């Protein structure tokens, strides 16, 4: 319902046969490019702010370009970058693609992946892209400066490019020394270096200090390629290989569709490991960092990844199915006077599960497509009132789908994050059907905490669950809880990141889920709305039951898998408190009140 700017999508392809092989077998000289295009289009859901592609032609003659890159901004970026591809790209063996959503608020072509570091030595050229957000980039930046480096742009992408480029230089220089000791000269040294580069060495010395969720992908001008996953397994990555191709992407179903594969043909990249493809075409999994406690992102399963994946489809259905009991309670079991529906488009699978759960109990239930999502309306009108009126019509309804004032409306969504679209659009337009009651169902639990591993929701006050909790604190005069939490966060922030705990969870402890649900319904119900509203959320236990292999639930529980997550959520509460005017306990002051 509420589109989130989130982590990016990656695509890698390494052709293992000569170009003539693909032309003869598949009838095209653009086999690699065609597959790259399909992989990116099938991951369009992961990024619509920009796109970039790059390739390496290992057979390009000396004195000609051998590493190509194109980038573009906007929702049509994929089409634009492929429109600029020239015939020179057809000779390439290594291809890389990236789809971008900004997780830092920074926009512009300079922030679109892939990033390219040039050098006259092919082995020192590095092209990098990834699906990542690092929580300790300040520390990495400081470390680089102490080494004598001076990064020209302060972003995790550029800093990682320069740090990895520096380590790649050292790897090449190590091989240069070896070659000289063996008595090699001239181009023999070059061949020795290009045959001997160990990207695993580069990755181990680059990624050791990073805190965050990431899939880091890259290729060198001499023909090395890699995809590495963070040691917690936060961000997803999958790969496939045969005698023709090695390919990797952010989603399994993408590889299945692109290369016509069975589900079990595709492998998940293990946490802390890298898929490394050498210049000679051999590939292997290399352990880069020790695997940590596995906390694969559960929101990938609920919302971000495409529902066409076999397991994700099953999990989303189960998320809907196991909500039937609280839904029946909310409508007092009156299915004869209830219409069931969903918010398009990502909640549709959970809706099927919900309906299966109800029918499995022998209930005769009615379903309708009540809500329709229209195209994004242009805000060409400058007056604020008119713009708000246009924005409220992003969704439309099926008139006559309910019996006015007789039928309840149960409508399921995959998640409720900010609540803005509910209040400004959906509730207003659903109320036109005159339901007796609206039961708003979320197939995910209440989102209470920011994500710091690749999704653009970093401020506590963005979340309607947090705002409802603060409203309950205000209503009950529990101001001391705000002060105590603020001081606890300040105390934690004085500690090293590895020793910090999440203190923000304290503000939720006095309230049960029903308390927060009730206040949320009160706050998000727009003025003038006639129908009462009740919320039903997935439980944490239900989430884990439906997605047992994806225990990364920090959005809902505040259990961050890395020290950086705890540090940033504590800082987020401090920032919230300092920017918010709240009554203080009489005579109580904190050291930062001045």
């Amino acid at each position: 319902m509420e589109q989130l700017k989130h982590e990016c999508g990656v695509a890698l392809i390494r052709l293992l046969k000569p170009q003539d092989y693909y032309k003869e077998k598949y009838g095209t000289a653009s086999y690699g490019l065609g597959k790259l295009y399909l992989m990116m289009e099938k991951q369009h859901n992961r990024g619509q702010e920009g796109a970039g592609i790059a390739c390496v032609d290992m057979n390009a003659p000396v004195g000609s370009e051998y590493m190509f890159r194109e980038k573009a901004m906007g929702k049509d970026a994929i089409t634009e970058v492929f429109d600029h591809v020239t015939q020179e790209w057809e000779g390439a063996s290594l291809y890389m693609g990236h789809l971008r959503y900004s997780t830092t608020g920074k926009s512009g072509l300079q922030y679109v992946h892939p990033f390219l570091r040039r050098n006259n030595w092919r082995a020192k050229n590095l092209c990098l892209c990834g699906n990542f957000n690092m929580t300790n980039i300040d520390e990495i930046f400081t470390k680089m400066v102490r080494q004598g480096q001076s990064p020209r742009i302060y972003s995790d992408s550029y800093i990682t490019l320069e740090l990895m480029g520096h380590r790649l230089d050292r790897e090449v220089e190590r091989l240069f020394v070896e070659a000289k000791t063996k008595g090699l000269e001239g181009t023999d040294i070059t061949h020795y270096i290009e045959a001997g580069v160990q990207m695993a060495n580069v990755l181990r010395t680059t990624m050791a200090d990073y805190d965050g969720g990431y899939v880091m992908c890259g290729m060198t001008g001499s023909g090395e390629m890699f995809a590495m996953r963070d040691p917690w397994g936060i961000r997803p990555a999958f790969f496939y290989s045969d005698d023709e191709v090695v390919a990797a992407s952010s989603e399994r179903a993408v590889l299945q569709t692109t290369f016509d594969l069975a589900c079990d043909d595709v492998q998940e990249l293990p946490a802390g490991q890298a898929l490394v493809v050498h210049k000679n075409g051999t590939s292997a999994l290399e352990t880069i960092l020790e695997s940590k406690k596995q906390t694969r992102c559960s929101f990938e399963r609920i919302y971000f990844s495409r529902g066409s994946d076999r397991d994700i489809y099953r999990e989303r259905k189960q998320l809907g199915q196991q909500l039937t009991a609280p839904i029946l309670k909310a409508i007092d079991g009156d299915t004869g006077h209830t219409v069931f529906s969903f918010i398009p488009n990502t909640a549709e699978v959970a809706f099927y599960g919900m309906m299966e759960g109800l029918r499995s109990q022998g209930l005769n239930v009615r379903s309708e497509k009540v809500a329709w999502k229209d195209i994004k309306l242009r805000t060409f009108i400058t007056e604020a009132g008119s713009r708000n009126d246009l924005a409220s019509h992003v969704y439309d309804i099926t008139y006559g789908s309910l019996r006015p004032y007789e039928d309840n409306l149960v409508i399921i969504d995959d998640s409720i994050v900010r609540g803005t679209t509910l209040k400004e659009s959906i509730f207003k337009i659903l109320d036109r059907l005159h339901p007796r009651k609206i039961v708003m169902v979320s197939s995910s639990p209440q989102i209470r905490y920011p994500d710091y591993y690749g999704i653009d929701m970093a401020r506590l006050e963005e979340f309607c669950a947090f705002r409802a909790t603060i409203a309950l604190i205000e209503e009950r005069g529990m101001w001391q809880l705000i002060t105590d939490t603020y001081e606890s966060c300040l105390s934690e922030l004085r500690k090293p990141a590895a020793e910090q705990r999440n203190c923000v969870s304290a503000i939720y402890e006095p309230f049960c889920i029903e308390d927060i649900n009730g206040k949320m319904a009160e706050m998000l119900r727009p003025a003038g709305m006639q129908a009462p509203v009740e919320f039903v959320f997935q439980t944490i236990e239900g989430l884990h039951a439906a997605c047992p292999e994806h225990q990364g639930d920090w959005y809902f529980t505040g259990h961050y898998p890395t020290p950086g997550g705890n540090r940033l959520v504590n800082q987020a509460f401090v920032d919230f408190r300092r920017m918010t005017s709240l009554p203080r306990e009489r005579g109580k002051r904190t050291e930062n009140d001045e």
Side-chain angles (χ1 to χ4, degrees):
M1 176 184 59
E2 295 172 301
Q3 187 180 29
L4 294 174
K5 296 179 179 180
H6 56 92
E7 74 273 7
C8 309
V10 297
L12 293 177
I13 296 175
R14 170 65 155 88
L15 302 182
L16 301 177
K17 302 284 189 180
Q19 289 293 338
D20 289 345
Y21 172 90
Y22 303 96
K23 188 172 183 179
E24 180 178 347
K25 182 173 182 178
Y26 298 104
T28 175
S30 301
Y31 175 81
L33 281 169
K35 294 300 186 184
L36 183 68
Y37 175 77
L38 185 56
M39 288 176 70
M40 293 180 70
E41 282 290 0
K42 292 298 179 180
Q43 294 183 93
H44 210 164
N45 55 299
R46 304 188 71 87
Q48 298 174 28
E49 286 188 3
I53 57 176
C55 73
V56 174
D57 181 355
M58 294 189 294
N59 297 315
V62 176
S64 63
E65 185 58 82
Y66 53 89
M67 207 165 188
F68 304 89
R69 179 185 62 171
E70 286 289 341
K71 303 193 294 182
M73 291 284 294
K75 61 182 180 64
D76 298 319
I78 297 176
T79 301
E80 184 175 340
V81 294
F82 278 93
D83 282 346
H84 285 87
V85 167
T86 64
Q87 192 173 1
E88 294 172 297
W89 288 63
E90 294 178 354
S93 298
L94 289 77
Y95 294 93
M96 171 190 289
H98 186 266
L99 294 143
R100 182 180 192 261
Y101 260 133
S102 169
T103 60
T104 62
K106 296 178 180 179
S107 60
L109 196 62
Q110 70 189 56
Y111 296 107
V112 175
H113 303 204
F115 298 98
L116 184 57
R117 191 175 189 261
R118 294 287 199 179
N119 194 282
N120 274 352
W121 288 69
R122 286 194 185 217
K124 287 188 175 183
N125 284 267
L126 177 64
C127 196
L128 199 66
C129 77
N131 169 14
F132 58 87
N133 198 45
M134 307 303 185
T135 67
N136 67 334
I137 201 64
D138 292 348
E139 297 170 18
I140 302 296
F141 180 84
T142 300
K143 180 178 180 179
M144 292 177 68
V145 171
R146 286 174 178 168
Q147 291 176 342
Q149 298 188 59
S150 183
R152 58 191 179 87
I153 297 177
Y154 190 88
S155 76
D156 52 6
S157 302
Y158 273 98
I159 287 173
T160 302
L161 176 71
E162 291 303 322
L163 179 58
M164 191 174 296
H166 172 69
R167 300 314 309 175
L168 180 60
D169 289 348
R170 300 288 79 77
E171 172 69 7
V172 170
E173 289 160 11
R174 176 185 70 81
L175 291 165
F176 178 84
V177 172
E178 279 188 11
K180 294 293 286 185
T181 61
K182 293 177 181 293
L184 300 179
E185 297 291 341
T187 57
D188 288 339
I189 294 179
T190 300
H191 297 322
Y192 181 86
I193 290 172
E194 292 183 0
V197 168
Q198 297 296 315
M199 286 307 299
N201 292 342
V202 177
L203 291 170
R204 290 186 187 107
T205 53
T206 300
M207 305 306 298
D209 296 326
Y210 274 104
D211 181 305
Y214 55 86
V215 173
M216 196 68 65
C217 303
M219 56 189 185
T220 70
S222 60
E224 302 295 311
M225 177 178 275
F226 67 87
M228 180 192 168
R229 192 177 186 190
D230 68 78
W232 301 272
I234 295 171
R235 297 271 67 88
F238 299 86
F239 70 96
Y240 167 75
S241 64
D242 59 21
D243 63 344
E244 293 184 350
V245 66
V246 179
S249 71
S250 295
E251 298 190 25
R252 177 172 61 180
V254 170
L255 291 169
Q256 289 184 248
T257 298
T258 302
F259 296 99
D260 190 19
L261 305 172
C263 187
D264 294 337
D265 292 334
V266 180
Q267 299 181 60
E268 184 174 6
L269 183 60
Q273 294 191 28
L275 172 67
V276 178
V277 188
H278 297 293
K279 178 182 179 179
N280 63 9
T282 61
S283 61
L285 290 175
E286 299 271 5
T287 298
I288 307 302
L289 298 174
E290 180 183 353
S291 177
K292 308 289 185 180
K293 180 181 179 182
Q294 293 305 282
T295 47
R296 297 179 180 91
C297 173
S298 60
F299 222 53
E300 282 281 350
R301 319 302 281 184
I302 298 166
Y303 175 80
F304 292 134
S305 293
R306 291 166 63 93
S308 57
D309 182 272
R310 178 194 66 186
D311 294 339
I312 292 175
Y313 184 81
R314 184 183 66 244
E315 290 164 9
R316 289 182 182 175
K317 285 186 71 176
Q318 185 174 340
L319 286 168
Q321 186 174 16
Q322 58 198 23
L323 286 167
T324 54
I327 290 170
L328 289 171
K329 181 180 178 182
I331 60 172
D332 296 323
D334 188 5
T335 55
H337 293 89
T338 301
V339 171
F340 296 85
S341 193
F342 63 94
I343 298 292
N345 294 315
T346 53
E348 186 173 2
V349 178
F351 166 76
Y352 293 144
M354 177 180 70
M355 299 305 291
E356 283 187 11
L358 292 164
R359 288 169 179 151
S360 69
Q361 300 183 40
L363 298 172
N364 183 19
V365 289
R366 295 161 53 204
S367 63
E368 303 284 355
K369 186 166 184 179
V370 170
W372 300 76
K373 189 170 184 180
D374 286 338
I375 60 172
K376 190 171 183 179
L377 300 174
R378 297 182 182 274
T379 55
F380 60 89
I381 297 176
T382 58
E383 292 84 356
S386 296
R387 286 203 311 272
N388 291 340
D389 182 61
L390 283 173
S392 70
H393 290 81
V394 171
Y395 288 87
D396 206 347
I397 51 170
T398 304
Y399 291 95
S401 54
L402 272 70
R403 292 172 295 195
Y405 305 107
E406 294 184 27
D407 289 334
N408 302 308
L409 173 60
V410 174
I411 192 157
I412 191 169
D413 195 8
D414 46 48
S415 58
I416 298 170
V417 186
R418 301 176 180 92
T420 307
T421 307
L422 280 178
K423 184 170 185 176
E424 299 299 330
S425 178
I426 292 175
F427 281 158
K428 288 181 179 179
I429 203 159
L430 291 179
D431 199 44
R432 295 181 182 182
L433 297 172
H434 305 297
R436 189 173 69 187
K437 179 182 183 180
I438 294 176
V439 179
M440 189 71 224
V441 182
S442 170
S443 66
S444 74
Q446 292 175 353
I447 296 176
R448 298 181 172 189
Y449 301 93
D451 176 65
Y452 299 108
Y453 305 118
I455 302 169
D456 185 20
M457 44 180 187
R459 295 168 58 238
L460 285 163
E461 55 270 32
E462 292 184 39
F463 307 112
C464 53
F466 178 83
R467 297 197 307 272
T469 303
I470 295 299
L472 287 170
I473 291 172
E474 178 181 4
E475 185 179 88
R476 301 182 187 186
M478 300 169 62
W479 304 113
Q480 188 60 41
L481 178 59
I482 297 288
T483 300
D484 291 346
T485 303
Y486 173 67
E487 292 180 344
S488 294
C489 288
L490 286 174
S491 177
E492 290 297 301
L493 288 168
R494 298 186 190 100
K495 302 176 183 177
E499 298 177 15
Q500 291 187 37
R501 60 185 177 88
N502 176 1
C503 294
V504 182
S505 57
I507 70 161
Y508 294 105
E509 291 176 1
F511 310 107
C512 65
I513 290 175
E514 289 72 22
D515 289 336
I516 299 173
N517 284 355
K519 179 55 67 174
M520 210 181 302
E522 178 186 320
M523 294 173 66
L524 297 182
R525 188 169 177 266
M529 182 176 178
Q530 294 183 355
V533 174
E534 183 174 340
F535 281 95
V536 171
F537 280 88
Q538 185 70 250
T539 63
I540 299 298
E541 295 76 18
L543 171 68
H544 291 167
C547 309
E549 300 300 318
H550 290 73
Q551 299 291 304
D553 61 6
W554 54 90
Y555 315 87
F556 319 112
T557 64
H559 298 156
Y560 290 97
T562 77
N566 289 329
R567 177 178 61 83
L568 289 175
V569 77
N570 288 329
Q571 186 62 57
F573 191 85
V574 169
D575 294 341
F576 160 77
R577 175 62 187 85
R578 287 174 174 172
M579 293 187 298
T580 306
S581 298
L582 296 172
R584 301 185 181 91
E585 184 185 29
R586 182 171 298 177
K588 186 80 172 180
R589 295 179 68 81
T590 71
E591 62 183 87
N592 286 282
D593 281 344
E594 286 78 7

